[in-house]
């Protein structure tokens, strides 16, 4: 039973229903077959008992005068005629003294077996089923005086033969009925369970592909249609929730990108800040070491910027920083990036640089652009200020192959340029360490 339940558990819904229906049909038809077999056996035995008892009564009536006149020959002839015309195993006629008057068995031979001990107790017609046979008793009366008893033994072979035939025919009909019902049930289940199976496939597709826009067929008014309606309502809620979640995720990603941009951008100049510089310079060094491209790092420190703050105030100092950053951007290529590290310190990452001559040209143009006088007009006041730039350059992988080394070398070069005076640049050399 456990194995069957385990096997059934692994089957599909339609196979489970089919197996259970076939099993139920088989059990019911088998029970019906057994019931009708028992019923047939009962009525067949009853019919045989009634028939044998009727024959015993008829024989008792006809043998009454023969028993009175002790005519054994006529009695034997009469008994033999019953034996020939019916399914009898034995015919016994007892006399008034309960002695065997005539006894016939198969072949018309006499037998010493008798019912002498049972006959005296029999006072009315009766039947008795005994081992493999049926016995009928019929007392013989003449003017209410008992003159003898007739005993008939009938075989049960006919009942057994007919019962077997009934079972064979019934069993064949049962098997045909089971096969026919299995075929009909298959068709009916496909029709009845089709919507459920379709809904199961739909649920699997929705779960796999997240196709929440799909809907089940909810035509009809039965339980399956109501289930499909509720399933569709659930899909509608999930679809709405999914759209809302997607929208919230998009907004969250946009907010994250905005926050990341704010975190990487200098508010005053709009240039990437120190945080962005640390990330980008490491990436640039890694690419340069791998041989993908040559990278040069330029540190820029503004000259005389402190004087602008001290004389004109920080407001004008901020304006100067904005103007200087714009001027530097104009001389950079599209792949180069300007960073504001803080205060009056800037950095530039140059990618795709080839040779010291190319770097020197960029430094000269940068210093020239920064050194131009800066005219600031605000309200009724106009001021002109001037700042310079000290620039230090180090290249990767020519001067350094690690980020920290590149930063240190560019810083040393910048301080070397600053020591030489305003508006100058220095490219890192080994003697600077």
């Amino acid at each position: 039973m456990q194995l069957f339940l385990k096997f059934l558990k692994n089957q599909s819904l339609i196979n489970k229903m089919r197996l259970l229906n076939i099993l139920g049909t088989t059990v019911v038809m088998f029970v019906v077959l057994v019931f009708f077999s028992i019923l047939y056996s009962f009525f067949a035995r009853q019919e045989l008992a009634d028939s044998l008892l009727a024959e015993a009564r008829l024989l008792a009536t006809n043998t009454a005068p023969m028993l009175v006149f002790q005519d054994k020959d006529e009695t034997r002839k009469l008994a033999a005629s019953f034996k020939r015309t019916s399914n009898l195993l034995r015919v016994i006629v007892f006399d008034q003294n309960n002695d065997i008057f005539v006894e016939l068995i198969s072949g018309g031979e006499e037998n010493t077996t008798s019912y002498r001990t049972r006959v005296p107790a029999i006072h009315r017609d009766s039947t008795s089923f005994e081992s493999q046979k049926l016995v009928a008793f019929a007392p013989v009366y003449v003017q209410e005086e008992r003159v003898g008893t007739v005993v008939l033994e009938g075989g049960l072979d006919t009942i057994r033969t007919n019962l077997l035939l009934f079972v064979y025919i019934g069993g064949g009909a049962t098997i045909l009925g089971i096969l026919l019902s299995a075929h009909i049930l298959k068709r009916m289940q496909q029709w009845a369970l089709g919507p459920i199976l379709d809904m199961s496939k739909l649920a699997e597709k929705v779960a796999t592909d997240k196709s929440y826009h799909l809907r089940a067929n909810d035509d009809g008014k039965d339980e399956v249609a109501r289930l499909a309606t509720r399933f569709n309502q659930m899909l509608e809620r999930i679809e709405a929730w999914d759209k809302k979640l997607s929208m919230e995720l998009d907004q969250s990603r946009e907010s994250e990108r905005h926050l990341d941009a704010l975190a990487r951008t200098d508010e005053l100049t709009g240039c990437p800040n120190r945080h962005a510089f640390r990330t980008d310079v490491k990436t640039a060094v890694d690419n340069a070491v791998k041989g993908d491209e040559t990278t040069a790092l330029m540190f820029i420190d503004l000259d005389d910027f402190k004087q602008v703050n001290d004389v004109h105030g920080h407001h004008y100092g901020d304006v100067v920083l904005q103007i200087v950053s714009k001027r530097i951007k104009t001389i950079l290529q599209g792949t180069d990036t300007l960073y504001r590290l803080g205060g009056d310190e800037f950095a530039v990452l140059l990618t795709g640089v080839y040779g010291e001559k190319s770097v020197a040209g960029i430094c000269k143009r940068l210093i020239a652009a920064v050194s131009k006088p800066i005219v600031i007009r605000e309200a009724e006041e106009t001021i002109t200020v001037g700042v310079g730039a000290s620039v230090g350059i180090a290249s990767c992988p020519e001067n350094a192959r690690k980020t920290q080394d590149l930063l240190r070398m560019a810083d040393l070069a910048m301080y070397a340029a600053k020591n030489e005076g305003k508006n100058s640049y220095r490219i890192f050399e080994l003697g600077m360490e």
Side-chain angles (χ1 to χ4, degrees):
M1 186 63 180
Q2 293 295 331
L3 292 176
F4 175 75
L5 292 176
K6 184 177 181 181
F7 168 77
L8 192 64
K9 184 178 180 181
N10 296 327
Q11 300 300 310
S12 63
L13 176 62
I14 192 167
N15 285 338
K16 286 180 182 178
M17 295 298 295
R18 189 178 304 158
L19 289 172
L20 290 175
N21 283 327
I22 291 175
L23 180 61
T25 302
T26 302
V27 171
V28 170
M29 295 189 74
F30 176 76
V31 171
V32 170
L33 177 62
V34 172
F35 173 75
F36 278 106
S37 298
I38 294 173
L39 196 64
Y40 173 81
S41 176
F42 172 77
F43 283 111
R45 289 162 66 96
Q46 190 63 41
E47 182 181 1
L48 179 61
D50 293 341
S51 176
L52 191 63
L53 187 59
E55 290 182 1
R57 288 171 179 169
L58 180 60
L59 182 58
T61 301
N62 292 327
T63 57
M66 301 174 189
L67 285 170
V68 172
F69 292 104
Q70 296 293 305
D71 191 348
K72 288 187 178 184
D73 293 335
E74 291 299 325
T75 302
R76 185 174 288 105
K77 291 178 182 179
L78 182 60
S81 66
F82 274 82
K83 180 68 177 63
R84 287 194 300 270
T85 58
S86 59
N87 187 27
L88 293 178
L89 299 176
R90 178 176 299 164
V91 178
I92 307 173
V93 180
F94 290 91
D95 59 18
Q96 191 173 17
N97 298 320
N98 297 322
D99 293 326
I100 294 177
F101 186 68
V102 171
E103 180 179 11
L104 296 180
I105 60 173
S106 297
E109 298 178 357
E110 294 187 1
N111 193 306
T112 57
T113 304
S114 68
Y115 292 85
R116 185 177 290 108
T117 58
R118 298 173 58 185
V119 167
I122 297 173
H123 301 287
R124 59 185 181 84
D125 300 342
S126 63
T127 56
S128 173
F129 283 95
E130 300 180 4
S131 178
Q132 304 298 321
K133 62 185 177 180
L134 172 63
V135 181
F137 299 93
V140 181
Y141 289 95
V142 175
Q143 296 181 353
E144 298 183 359
E145 181 182 355
R146 181 172 178 172
V147 295
T149 304
V150 173
V151 179
L152 300 183
E153 288 184 6
L156 301 178
D157 292 339
T158 303
I159 294 179
R160 284 195 293 270
T161 301
N162 292 338
L163 181 60
L164 287 175
L165 181 62
F166 178 84
V167 170
Y168 289 150
I169 295 175
T174 299
I175 294 174
L176 290 176
I178 292 172
L179 295 176
L180 181 61
S181 64
H183 178 72
I184 295 174
L185 283 171
K186 180 180 179 181
R187 299 290 184 182
M188 294 177 65
Q189 287 172 352
Q190 288 176 343
W191 174 80
L193 298 178
I196 296 179
L197 298 178
D198 293 340
M199 204 180 309
S200 174
K201 293 178 181 178
L202 176 63
E204 186 173 352
K205 183 174 179 59
V206 169
T208 303
D209 302 338
K210 297 183 179 179
S211 304
Y212 302 123
H213 65 282
L214 299 177
R215 295 294 181 268
N217 184 5
D218 57 356
D219 293 338
K221 297 182 180 180
D222 58 4
E223 292 83 353
V224 177
R226 291 197 294 271
L227 177 63
T229 300
R230 297 293 182 265
F231 183 74
N232 290 338
Q233 292 174 351
M234 180 181 67
L235 285 179
E236 290 174 0
R237 288 193 291 269
I238 293 176
E239 183 180 15
W241 176 81
D242 183 64
K243 289 180 178 178
K244 181 180 179 182
L245 180 61
S246 297
M247 187 180 300
E248 290 177 352
L249 288 175
D250 291 340
Q251 293 174 351
S252 176
R253 294 191 188 100
E254 184 62 29
S255 298
E256 288 177 1
R257 285 192 292 268
H258 180 66
L259 291 174
D260 184 63
L262 290 177
R264 291 172 54 87
T265 304
D266 177 62
E267 185 177 357
L268 179 63
T269 62
C271 298
N273 58 16
R274 183 181 293 273
H275 172 70
F277 172 73
R278 289 174 179 172
T279 304
D280 294 349
V281 71
K282 184 179 185 305
T283 302
V285 170
D286 291 341
N287 292 335
V289 170
K290 292 177 182 178
D292 294 340
E293 58 186 11
T294 302
T295 297
L297 172 60
M298 184 183 295
F299 273 163
I300 305 168
D301 187 79
L302 299 183
D303 299 325
D304 299 328
F305 178 74
K306 184 176 182 301
Q307 184 178 353
V308 174
N309 277 338
D310 293 342
V311 175
H312 301 286
H314 290 283
H315 170 70
Y316 287 98
D318 291 343
V319 175
V320 169
L321 291 174
Q322 292 172 339
I323 294 173
V324 167
S325 65
K326 290 178 181 178
R327 289 180 178 181
I328 295 174
K329 288 178 183 178
T330 59
I331 60 101
L332 298 179
Q333 299 179 6
T335 57
D336 302 333
T337 307
L338 173 66
Y339 301 87
R340 185 191 175 204
L341 304 182
D344 59 353
E345 295 180 356
F346 291 86
V348 176
L349 275 176
L350 303 174
T351 56
V353 177
Y354 300 96
E356 185 176 315
K357 185 177 180 180
S358 175
V359 174
I362 295 173
C363 290
K364 290 176 181 179
R365 292 196 301 274
L366 186 151
I367 292 172
V370 172
S371 300
K372 291 179 181 180
I374 299 174
V375 180
I376 303 174
R377 296 182 178 88
E378 288 195 357
E380 298 179 354
E381 186 178 6
T382 301
I383 65 171
T384 301
V385 297
V387 293
S390 298
V391 183
I393 307 101
S395 300
C396 178
E398 181 180 352
N399 300 131
R401 299 179 66 87
K402 294 182 180 181
T403 303
Q404 293 299 324
D405 293 341
L406 183 65
L407 294 173
R408 180 174 56 81
M409 293 174 182
D411 193 55
L412 289 173
M414 184 196 68
Y415 278 103
K418 208 168 188 65
N419 291 332
E420 289 184 359
K422 299 176 182 180
N423 295 325
S424 63
Y425 72 91
R426 291 291 303 276
I427 298 175
F428 176 78
E429 298 174 356
L430 292 177
M432 293 180 180
E433 292 188 288

